[in-house]
Amino acid sequence: MWFSTGEYYLFCKGADSSIFPRVISGKVEQVKARVEHNAVEGLRTLCVAYRKLSVAQYEETCHLLNSAKLALQDRDRKLAEAYDLIEKDFILLGATAVEDRLQDKAADTIESLQKAGMKVWVLTGDKMETAAATCYASKLFRRSTQILELTTKRTEEQSLHDVLFDLSKTVLRQHGSMTRDTFSGLSADCVDFGLIIDGATLSAVLKPSQEDSSQGNYKDIFLEICRNCSAVLCCRMAPLQKAQIVKLIKSSPEHPITLAIGDGANDVSMILEAHVGIGIMGKEGRQAARNCDYAIPKFKHLKKMLLVHGHYYYIRISELVQYFFYKNVAFIFPQFLYQFFCGFSQQPLYDTAYLTLYNISFTSLPILLFSLIEQHINMDILKKDPSLYRDIAKNSLLRWPIFIYWTFLGVFDAVIFFFGAYFLFNNSTFTSNGQLMTTNTQMMFGNWTFGTLVFTVLVFTVTLKLALDTHYWTWINHFVIWGSLLFFVIFSLLWGGIIWPFLNYQRMYYVFIQMLSSGPAWLSIILLIVTSLLPDVVKKVVCRALWPTTTERIQRMRTNRNFDGVMTYSRDSLLDGGVALSTSEA
């Protein structure tokens, strides 16, 4: 800043840990005591200092900065060196303290995320005392939480190596019997630990030790400590350090899914590094909201976003992906089996119209609607009991055992379709006019009749399978599911009941109508559909009776009780019988 007297003044504001080492005069002790007191009260503090520059010093400063900015190599290092030469010999002016109130329902949101099994880390540039007071106010730390400090003050008394191993022994002594699968959850039987680390110590932890190779890398020890803490507070963090923390978590052995949420420009690097970035449109600008995956106006909306909509869409997407595999395995496998009975002549089992419209018209709309509006449990219940999120934790519905079950179900249904129809036409004789007729059904037999019967059972089975998986029924569900089946029947009647002038040959003429004119064919269709769906129904009944999840318990309670508005229930009643809850990796 230039004054009319011809003098230049350099003003600098920042954290006390950055300003005090650069100060040579001023009321340092008084300001330092006041800053400590304000920080303990939960106020956000900044220190302000200045330095007088002569004209020659000002010109030299400008030259250094311009040279560093124009450097083609090591620009960041040269800029840091230039600032270090300039930002020194300050005179302390004073300090500021402002109250930064928590947003409405912020504490309730954080508590709900922890109950859902999510590990919550706070990355902030605030002073440790301020950040700790905020964590207590937001219920991230509880009064019973045993705080572990990994700070510069402690590493000055002991070596970083000794501090890390002391903390590791402390947490492992309490959590020695815990497995890695429980690291992100809260256990009522164990001591609740909370870790506090500052930016300077974090830099030392992330930097490999070159003095003693036997000490190796401290990252693994640090992660092991964090893994056994219910919450972690990282204070005095630079923006790039926030991104380093997120990257460190992503690369940990468990490979958890990370979500970063912030409201300022200093959070952008962290938001971009995480798997999912959420920006809050607050008073600190729109930089975070412009660089995120999702933007929300208030922090409290994160609860509904994750615990309700996140829960719903995971259920929908998992069903969508696996149902598509299932219905296409059931569709193609009969064609594969048919090649063993047609002399490997590449004769198709289904008509070309059926081949084309199976995934486009006959079976597409029901699963599309399911993936958009399915609600397997009431929205208010998901918000009331965040622990229900644990039922879908760690990608539980898209694991190999579940995928293999769906694939097996598709193969099983395909075998039932094909061989059920095959044995139906097993006994056949020639009529007086040379046509082939089955003796047990008195139905005209042919390749297209056989394929049409298999396809009819296929369409009805895969559609009813989805109907059995649907919990949230509306008029749209009924219209789409039963309408899809009706459309298939009407299309088959029209496709085979009319001589279309634009077709050179019509191999499906009268096939569908002739098939439906046989009573045994109707009985066979119903029997094959029931046989195909029966194993899945039995499996669901047995699993829900013997090993129900918390969600399934609530679904059963909803069917056994009359509800007036929102259902209320006791948490203990849902956990009777020792239900094991997995933890999330978000």
Side-chain angles (χ1 to χ4, degrees):
M1 181 177 292
W2 179 80
F3 289 89
S4 58
T5 57
E7 296 177 331
Y8 292 90
Y9 287 86
L10 174 64
F11 288 89
C12 183
K13 69 176 179 65
D16 58 326
S17 58
S18 299
I19 296 296
F20 286 143
R22 293 174 166 83
V23 170
I24 58 173
S25 63
K27 298 180 180 180
V28 178
E29 296 301 327
Q30 292 180 352
V31 174
K32 185 179 293 186
R34 197 62 187 174
V35 167
E36 294 289 340
H37 177 268
N38 291 334
V40 172
E41 294 293 326
L43 302 178
R44 305 187 72 172
T45 59
L46 282 177
C47 295
V48 183
Y50 76 98
R51 176 190 176 188
K52 184 186 294 186
L53 298 176
S54 63
V55 176
Q57 289 176 325
Y58 173 76
E59 292 177 351
E60 182 183 359
T61 298
C62 292
H63 176 72
L64 282 173
L65 288 176
N66 290 332
S67 299
K69 291 177 182 178
L70 296 175
L72 298 178
Q73 295 180 347
D74 298 331
R75 183 179 303 171
D76 293 338
R77 180 181 61 80
K78 292 180 179 179
L79 277 173
E81 291 175 353
Y83 284 125
D84 286 338
L85 291 174
I86 299 165
E87 296 174 347
K88 62 180 181 179
D89 300 334
F90 282 119
I91 300 174
L92 185 62
L93 275 177
T96 63
V98 294
E99 183 179 7
D100 191 11
R101 294 182 180 177
L102 286 175
Q103 289 191 12
D104 185 32
K105 297 183 179 180
D108 175 66
T109 301
I110 292 178
E111 187 176 20
S112 297
L113 295 181
Q114 288 184 319
K115 288 180 179 179
M118 301 181 193
K119 193 72 168 289
V120 181
W121 291 38
V122 175
L123 312 180
T124 178
D126 289 341
K127 190 175 175 62
M128 187 183 76
E129 291 80 4
T130 304
T134 304
C135 288
Y136 279 110
S138 62
K139 297 182 180 180
L140 184 66
F141 291 160
R142 296 172 176 81
R143 296 303 172 187
S144 60
T145 302
Q146 182 177 340
I147 302 299
L148 308 175
E149 292 188 8
L150 185 57
T151 58
T152 306
K153 182 178 180 181
R154 185 168 179 182
T155 55
E156 288 175 352
E157 300 173 355
Q158 292 179 268
S159 67
L160 178 61
H161 180 270
D162 294 338
V163 174
L164 282 171
F165 275 89
D166 286 345
L167 295 179
S168 179
K169 291 178 182 178
T170 301
V171 296
L172 292 179
R173 189 182 302 117
Q174 297 292 336
H175 299 269
S177 61
M178 292 179 63
T179 62
R180 285 190 172 185
D181 290 338
T182 60
F183 83 98
S184 60
L186 298 177
S187 176
D189 299 329
C190 300
V191 177
D192 187 14
F193 289 107
L195 177 67
I196 300 178
I197 183 172
D198 58 17
T201 309
L202 178 66
S203 298
V205 169
L206 298 181
K207 184 179 180 181
S209 176
Q210 298 178 353
E211 297 178 358
D212 187 359
S213 59
S214 63
Q215 293 180 5
N217 200 315
Y218 294 134
K219 291 182 182 179
D220 295 336
I221 305 174
F222 173 67
L223 281 175
E224 189 67 30
I225 296 170
C226 296
R227 190 177 292 118
N228 292 283
C229 293
S230 60
V232 178
L233 167 61
C234 304
C235 55
R236 288 304 188 210
M237 292 282 115
L240 290 179
Q241 285 182 313
K242 295 181 180 181
Q244 288 178 335
I245 285 286
V246 175
K247 187 175 181 179
L248 179 66
I249 300 171
K250 286 170 61 178
S251 60
S252 62
E254 292 81 10
H255 299 291
I257 303 300
T258 57
L259 181 148
I261 180 170
D263 64 349
N266 58 342
D267 300 317
V268 170
S269 58
M270 171 183 69
I271 290 173
L272 294 176
E273 182 64 40
H275 292 101
V276 181
I278 298 179
I280 300 177
M281 298 177 289
K283 297 180 180 180
E284 298 190 26
R286 292 289 190 270
Q287 291 88 343
R290 290 172 182 169
N291 290 276
C292 66
D293 299 307
Y294 304 96
I296 56 178
K298 297 290 184 181
F299 183 80
K300 64 180 180 180
H301 296 143
L302 183 64
K303 178 180 178 179
K304 185 176 182 180
M305 182 180 181
L306 292 179
L307 304 185
V308 178
H309 296 296
H311 196 139
Y312 281 159
Y313 275 95
Y314 180 76
I315 296 292
R316 297 166 185 172
I317 290 297
S318 62
E319 180 86 10
L320 171 69
V321 172
Q322 295 174 122
Y323 178 79
F324 258 95
F325 275 99
Y326 158 75
K327 75 184 185 75
N328 282 286
V329 168
F331 175 50
I332 295 300
F333 199 68
Q335 176 70 59
F336 169 75
L337 295 175
Y338 185 63
Q339 296 308 304
F340 294 95
F341 295 85
C342 69
F344 299 97
S345 62
Q346 299 183 0
Q347 167 69 34
L349 177 63
Y350 311 120
D351 180 64
T352 53
Y354 288 159
L355 285 169
T356 303
L357 296 179
Y358 176 75
N359 279 315
I360 296 177
S361 301
F362 299 148
T363 60
S364 60
L365 287 181
I367 185 59
L368 174 63
L369 188 68
F370 181 97
S371 63
L372 291 177
I373 68 171
E374 170 64 8
Q375 298 180 18
H376 64 298
I377 196 169
N378 188 274
M379 182 182 300
D380 294 320
I381 298 175
L382 288 177
K383 288 195 292 186
K384 274 190 172 183
D385 191 354
S387 63
L388 294 176
Y389 192 89
R390 296 172 183 253
D391 286 344
I392 62 167
K394 296 188 177 180
N395 205 20
S396 60
L397 299 182
L398 284 174
R399 290 183 174 273
W400 278 109
I402 306 295
F403 175 77
I404 292 173
Y405 169 75
W406 279 88
T407 305
F408 168 77
L409 198 61
V411 173
F412 173 82
D413 289 351
V415 170
I416 295 296
F417 303 156
F418 183 83
F419 287 103
Y422 174 78
F423 289 118
L424 176 65
F425 292 114
N426 194 25
N427 298 319
S428 57
T429 59
F430 285 97
T431 62
S432 58
N433 60 358
Q435 292 180 326
L436 196 63
M437 177 177 288
T438 57
T439 56
N440 54 346
T441 64
Q442 294 298 308
M443 185 172 63
M444 301 304 297
F445 175 76
N447 172 69
W448 301 117
T449 305
F450 177 71
T452 301
L453 179 62
V454 173
F455 191 81
T456 301
V457 177
L458 165 67
V459 171
F460 273 81
T461 300
V462 298
T463 304
L464 293 177
K465 158 67 177 166
L466 186 64
L468 290 174
D469 289 345
T470 301
H471 297 90
Y472 184 66
W473 284 94
T474 64
W475 69 268
I476 305 178
N477 295 81
H478 288 286
F479 176 78
V480 169
I481 290 178
W482 313 126
S484 295
L485 296 177
L486 183 63
F487 173 75
F488 164 71
V489 174
I490 294 174
F491 173 83
S492 299
L493 290 172
L494 295 177
W495 182 245
I498 300 175
I499 298 178
W500 299 98
F502 55 85
L503 295 177
N504 295 328
Y505 59 92
Q506 197 162 341
R507 54 196 177 191
M508 290 294 293
Y509 180 68
Y510 214 67
V511 170
F512 191 74
I513 298 174
Q514 187 269 339
M515 183 189 72
L516 294 184
S517 65
S518 171
W522 281 84
L523 181 61
S524 300
I525 291 173
I526 295 173
L527 181 62
L528 292 177
I529 292 174
V530 173
T531 305
S532 301
L533 294 175
L534 187 61
D536 186 54
V537 173
V538 172
K539 178 256 180 186
K540 288 184 177 179
V541 171
V542 172
C543 289
R544 285 173 177 260
L546 299 180
W547 308 285
T549 63
T550 309
T551 302
E552 290 169 348
R553 287 174 178 267
I554 294 177
Q555 290 172 347
R556 187 168 58 187
M557 291 171 64
R558 290 184 65 190
T559 58
N560 294 336
R561 295 183 183 181
N562 294 323
F563 294 90
D564 296 327
V566 180
M567 183 184 74
T568 58
Y569 57 89
S570 169
R571 175 73 185 135
D572 295 335
S573 65
L574 299 180
L575 298 180
D576 291 341
V579 179
L581 299 177
S582 61
T583 57
S584 166
E585 293 188 359

